[in-house]
């Protein structure tokens, strides 16, 4: 195949001009994409920035290979370059062909994989709601809707996580999976959450698989239960144990896994993805063992998923968290806030591993201070980013549409003649249905905009449902205290 190749000199441009031109070129490459029936699915470009500095842009479709192949392929290319540089002939040892992996896949037993995934996903009927309000965008460009926010953990926190993982016989990947599960649970209000994870897909049993070049990476679901009284450390160790079991069937196609679940066809199994990038050979390290007359640095990558929310974790001395999201679904402010919450959760893991999972905090110091001030009756300014274009019952219905199975309300009350507290819970869908029934009854009674109706109820779920019902029909409720004398309430 003849690779498309572009060369240009940008030496006359300022640094700002070079950056602007590079950004424009990268955007054009992304928008151009690839036609799957028109090979090759790869393009290269080399731009000279100064006498001794170049920017190399390498674009390829994910069908060709995954990120784990980058270091392998670049190291091979540079081995040939070194031979040319030294005036020698280069001969690389033969590698196993990708077809060997295809053969291995065809040999796997599908019945046992189906049994495993059916049991793992049993009873799960809808994707975990992200719990972040939708926002509207006028743009129709797919490229313009994908944004990214990054956060670098402090060296102290990065080292603390790595030390904690090593001492606890956990992987750093497990810590991030646990943190993401806690965040999704708090945001969605659910104790049973599901999200996607990427796996290397390279079976250890396949000889020579580490040097193969092709598409091995796979995406599979990870279901995590937080309805437990376990403390953080045993809970994380349980996650890691389950991961070992899951790896046995990590080759399964996601389309097959979804068909084995109770989630309806046409509905995504999950809406968020966690990608832990832990490649055996980095691009920068590819030149370490070679004498080629130059070095590679400042390696950057870009890839887009079809999920509204993707967390990419890049380990190192300072762990990098990159949140990629659909800006039509998630605001920039919400994405930044989520990154902050993830850092708080990770700090809680290593500082308080003996605390129950249900007590892991995700509030920043500022948010905790605001809650304390509200509890003390102080006035707290609301973020200027909050929209007041909708009434509260309209926002409630919108939240019901995006996360119907999340817990909307919980009520605890002591039972008569006992100290036992009974806790009632309703999801957004259940509370909305109850409010709609009451609203329908009020409409039949002629209640309309401006009509005053007395509301005489104790604190309860029924009271909250009634308030939403009044707002829906436009009536005005007059709060009455049941403990007051009858002459006052009549």
């Amino acid at each position: 195949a003849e690779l498309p190749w572009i060369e240009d000199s940008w030496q006359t441009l300022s640094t700002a001009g070079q950056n602007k031109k590079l950004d424009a070129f990268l955007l054009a490459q992304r928008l151009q994409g690839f036609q799957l029936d028109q090979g090759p699915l790869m393009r290269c470009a080399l731009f000279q920035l100064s006498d001794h500095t170049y920017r190399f842009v390498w674009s390829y479709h994910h069908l060709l290979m995954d990120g784990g192949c980058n270091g392998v392929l670049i190291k091979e290319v540079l081995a040939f370059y070194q031979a040319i540089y030294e005036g020698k002939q280069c001969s690389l040892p033969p590698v196993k062909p990708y077809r060997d992996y295809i053969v291995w896949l065809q040999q796997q037993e599908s019945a046992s994989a189906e049994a495993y995934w059916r049991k793992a996903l049993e009873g799960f009927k809808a994707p975990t709601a992200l719990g972040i309000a939708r926002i509207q965008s006028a743009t129709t460009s797919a490229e313009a809707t994908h944004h990214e926010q990054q956060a670098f953990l402090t060296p102290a926190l990065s080292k603390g996580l790595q030390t904690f993982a090593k001492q606890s016989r956990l992987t750093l990947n497990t810590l991030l999976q646990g943190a993401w599960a806690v965040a999704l649970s708090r945001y969605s209000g659910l104790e049973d959450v599901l999200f996607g994870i990427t796996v290397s897909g390279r079976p250890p049993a396949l000889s020579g698989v580490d040097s193969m070049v092709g598409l091995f990476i796979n995406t599979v679901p990870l279901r995590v239960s937080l309805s437990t009284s376990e403390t953080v450390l045993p809970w994380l160790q349980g996650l890691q144990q389950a991961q070992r079991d899951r790896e046995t069937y990590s080759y399964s196609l996601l389309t097959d896994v979804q068909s084995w679940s109770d989630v309806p066809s046409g509905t995504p199994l999950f809406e968020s993805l966690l990608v832990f990038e832990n490649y055996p050979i980095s691009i920068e390290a590819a030149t370490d063992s070679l004498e080629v007359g130059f070095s590679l640095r400042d390696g950057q990558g870009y890839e887009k998923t079809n999920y509204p929310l993707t967390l990419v974790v890049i380990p190192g001395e300072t762990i990098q968290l990159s949140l990629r999201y659909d800006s039509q679904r998630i605001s920039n402010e919400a994405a930044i806030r989520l990154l902050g919450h993830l850092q708080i959760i990770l700090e809680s893991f290593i500082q308080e591993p003996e605390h129950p999972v249900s007590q892991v905090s995700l509030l920043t110091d500022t948010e905790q201070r605001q809650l304390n001030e509200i509890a003390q009756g102080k006035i707290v300014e609301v973020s200027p980013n909050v929209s007041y274009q909708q009434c509260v019952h309209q926002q409630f219905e919108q939240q019901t549409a995006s996360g119907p199975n999340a817990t909307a309300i919980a009520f605890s009350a002591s039972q008569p003649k006992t100290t036992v507290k009974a806790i009632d819970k309703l999801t957004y869908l259940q509370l909305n249905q109850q409010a709609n029934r009451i609203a329908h009854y009020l409409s039949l009674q002629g209640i309309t905009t401006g009509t005053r109706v007395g509301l005489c109820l104790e604190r309860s779920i029924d009271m909250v449902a009634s308030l939403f019902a009044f707002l829906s029909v436009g009536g005005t409720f007059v709060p009455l205290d049941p403990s007051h004398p009858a002459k006052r309430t009549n």
Side-chain angles (χ1 to χ4, degrees):
E2 189 70 25
L3 290 181
W5 189 280
I6 297 174
E7 286 190 57
D8 198 3
S9 175
W10 294 350
Q11 295 184 80
T12 60
L13 300 177
S14 64
T15 300
Q18 291 174 348
N19 292 336
K20 183 177 181 180
K21 199 159 185 175
L22 177 63
D23 289 341
F25 178 80
L26 294 177
L27 178 58
Q29 288 287 296
R30 295 169 190 169
L31 294 177
Q32 179 181 349
F34 291 95
Q35 297 296 323
L36 299 186
D37 58 350
Q38 298 176 14
L41 305 181
M42 186 181 291
R43 297 187 292 265
C44 300
L46 186 68
F47 304 116
Q48 186 168 2
L49 307 183
S50 68
D51 289 343
H52 304 290
T53 308
Y54 295 79
R55 173 69 73 178
F56 177 60
V57 180
W58 180 26
S59 305
Y60 61 87
H61 196 285
H62 215 327
L63 278 176
L64 294 184
M65 59 185 185
D66 53 37
C69 302
N70 288 345
V72 175
L73 189 56
I74 289 179
K75 196 167 184 178
E76 291 185 355
V77 171
L78 293 180
F80 277 99
Y81 187 94
Q82 181 181 15
I84 297 172
Y85 184 74
E86 298 174 350
K88 300 178 180 178
Q89 290 291 325
C90 180
S91 178
L92 294 176
V95 297
K96 292 283 187 177
Y98 185 69
R99 70 173 65 92
D100 287 4
Y101 173 65
I102 301 298
V103 172
W104 178 88
L105 278 178
Q106 295 171 340
Q107 294 172 344
Q108 303 311 301
E109 185 182 353
S110 61
S112 57
E114 179 178 351
Y116 169 80
W117 288 114
R118 284 191 181 278
K119 182 177 180 181
L121 301 175
E122 184 179 4
F124 197 88
K125 301 181 183 300
T128 301
L130 299 179
I132 303 176
R134 296 171 184 262
I135 63 172
Q136 298 299 321
S137 173
T139 179
T140 57
S141 168
E143 180 64 33
T145 64
H146 282 81
H147 289 190
E148 182 175 1
Q149 300 289 343
Q150 294 183 344
F152 291 87
L153 304 187
T154 64
L157 178 55
S158 298
K159 184 177 181 180
L161 288 169
Q162 291 161 350
T163 301
F164 175 72
K166 185 177 181 180
Q167 293 175 345
S168 306
R169 296 185 178 180
L170 298 169
T171 64
L172 189 59
N173 191 9
T174 298
L175 293 183
L176 269 299
Q177 289 176 359
W180 190 244
V182 170
L184 279 183
S185 176
R186 301 296 173 79
Y187 271 62
S188 66
L190 299 174
E191 295 179 335
D192 188 13
V193 299
L194 188 76
F195 55 94
I197 58 171
T198 57
V199 292
S200 70
R202 295 177 183 259
L206 182 58
S207 175
V209 70
D210 290 337
S211 62
M212 287 184 184
V213 174
L215 180 59
F216 294 90
I217 195 172
N218 195 21
T219 300
V220 295
L222 172 57
R223 185 179 185 179
V224 182
S225 173
L226 292 97
S227 57
T228 175
S229 59
E230 280 188 303
T231 56
V232 168
L233 183 53
W235 178 73
L236 289 172
Q237 291 170 336
L239 283 184
Q240 182 148 309
Q241 178 59 49
Q243 180 176 328
R244 297 191 187 100
D245 299 336
R246 186 171 53 253
E247 284 177 353
T248 305
Y249 305 100
S250 63
Y251 59 84
S252 304
L253 292 176
L254 185 57
T255 51
D256 290 339
V257 175
Q258 170 130 6
S259 70
W260 299 329
S261 74
D262 295 329
V263 176
S265 177
T267 302
L269 190 57
F270 45 80
E271 289 199 310
S272 68
L273 179 67
L274 173 61
V275 180
F276 189 86
E277 293 190 351
N278 192 20
Y279 301 141
I281 305 175
S282 68
I283 290 178
E284 289 83 352
T287 55
D288 289 351
S289 60
L290 299 173
E291 296 293 336
V292 292
F294 67 88
S295 63
L296 297 173
R297 62 179 177 84
D298 193 24
Q300 301 174 13
Y302 173 86
E303 62 180 309
K304 185 171 60 179
T305 73
N306 59 314
Y307 299 103
L309 188 61
T310 299
L311 175 66
V312 180
V313 181
I314 303 176
E317 291 186 5
T318 55
I319 298 171
Q320 178 182 344
L321 304 181
S322 178
L323 201 62
R324 301 168 185 173
Y325 55 96
D326 182 352
S327 60
Q328 291 185 328
R329 294 284 306 275
I330 299 166
S331 69
N332 295 335
E333 294 77 16
I336 294 171
R337 187 165 58 249
L338 176 54
L339 282 174
H341 288 160
L342 283 170
Q343 295 179 68
I344 297 297
I345 294 171
L346 290 169
E347 289 176 355
S348 299
F349 280 177
I350 60 177
Q351 293 174 2
E352 302 171 334
E354 73 286 351
H355 281 202
V357 177
S358 59
Q359 295 182 15
V360 172
S361 175
L362 54 68
L363 296 180
T364 63
D365 291 341
T366 300
E367 291 170 332
Q368 187 64 58
R369 185 169 60 254
Q370 288 178 339
L371 283 180
N372 292 338
E373 291 175 353
I374 291 173
Q376 296 169 13
K378 296 181 180 179
I379 297 176
V380 177
E381 290 188 8
V382 178
S383 168
N385 298 311
V386 175
S387 172
Y388 298 99
Q389 299 301 314
Q390 292 181 315
C391 296
V392 63
H393 66 287
Q394 294 171 325
Q395 295 183 21
F396 174 77
E397 290 173 352
Q398 183 176 347
Q399 179 62 33
T400 300
S402 61
N405 298 317
T407 300
I409 187 170
F411 179 72
S412 176
S414 297
Q415 296 296 306
K417 299 181 181 180
T418 175
T419 58
V420 177
K421 287 184 177 292
I423 300 178
D424 294 324
K425 291 183 180 180
L426 288 184
T427 65
Y428 277 94
L429 179 61
Q430 292 169 332
L431 182 57
N432 192 47
Q433 290 173 338
Q434 186 168 332
N436 287 340
R437 286 194 294 268
I438 299 173
H440 180 67
Y441 173 79
L442 292 174
S443 296
L444 293 177
Q445 304 305 312
I447 307 302
T448 184
T449 302
T451 306
R452 296 193 183 101
V453 179
L455 180 61
C456 186
L457 286 173
E458 299 281 358
R459 287 177 179 268
S460 61
I461 290 179
D462 290 338
M463 184 182 75
V464 176
S466 299
L467 296 181
F468 279 117
F470 276 111
L471 292 172
S472 296
V473 299
T476 302
F477 64 87
V478 180
L480 303 174
D481 191 335
S483 65
H484 287 177
K487 290 184 179 180
R488 178 177 296 181
T489 58
N490 289 338

